[in-house]
């Protein structure tokens, strides 16, 4: 059986998909405890750890080229380190 898809599976990384976002997640690096929950729940897989070379602290950031602003990361962050902010383009 032939299945017609608009996109092929596994091509998310080939297409920047964040351009229709209305809200974006703002991550408070001071509050972040680097638990990684946001990275695990993000449906786009666009949240990643960053190491501050000066303080050696690890926090998480998002790739806005792929973030769709769904807000799941903010909803699931246990310490409320993520707030959804209105895009101003
Ligand atoms: S869920 Fe919150 S505390 Fe955990 S890594 Fe993400 S921003 Fe940091
Ligand atoms: S708002 Fe949604 S798509 Fe964007 S980083 Fe959070 S979970 Fe991922």
């Amino acid at each position: 059986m032939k299945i017609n898809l608009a996109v092929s599976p596994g091509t998310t990384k080939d297409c920047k998909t964040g351009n229709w976002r209305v809200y974006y997640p703002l991550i408070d690096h001071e509050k972040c405890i680097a638990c990684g929950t946001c990275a695990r729940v993000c449906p786009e897989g666009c949240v990643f750890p960053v190491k501050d070379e000066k303080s050696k602290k690890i926090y998480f950031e998002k790739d806005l080229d792929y973030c769709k602003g769904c807000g799941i990361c903010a909803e699931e962050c246990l310490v409320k380190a993520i707030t959804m902010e209105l895009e101003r383009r």
Side-chain angles (χ1 to χ4, degrees):
M1 183 175 82
K2 186 171 184 240
I3 300 174
N4 293 318
L5 295 172
V7 292
S8 303
T11 56
T12 303
K13 289 283 181 198
D14 299 337
C15 310
K16 292 185 177 177
T17 53
N19 60 352
W20 47 266
R21 185 181 52 245
V22 178
Y23 289 91
Y24 72 96
L26 181 65
I27 303 176
D28 184 332
H29 299 163
E30 294 301 315
K31 281 188 184 174
C32 176
I33 57 172
C35 66
T37 300
C38 50
R40 284 192 294 277
V41 300
C42 174
E44 297 306 313
C46 67
V47 186
F48 54 89
V50 177
K51 186 175 183 182
D52 184 317
E53 288 306 325
K54 201 171 172 191
S55 68
K56 305 296 180 204
K57 179 179 162 64
I58 293 177
Y59 56 87
F60 278 67
E61 263 306 340
K62 69 283 167 186
D63 185 338
L64 289 176
D65 282 342
Y66 300 99
C67 169
K68 292 177 178 170
C70 66
I72 294 174
C73 54
E75 205 51 50
E76 295 298 323
C77 176
L78 294 175
V79 296
K80 300 295 174 207
I82 307 175
T83 52
M84 298 304 292
E85 304 286 332
L86 189 62
E87 279 284 2
R88 298 187 190 282
R89 297 188 179 130

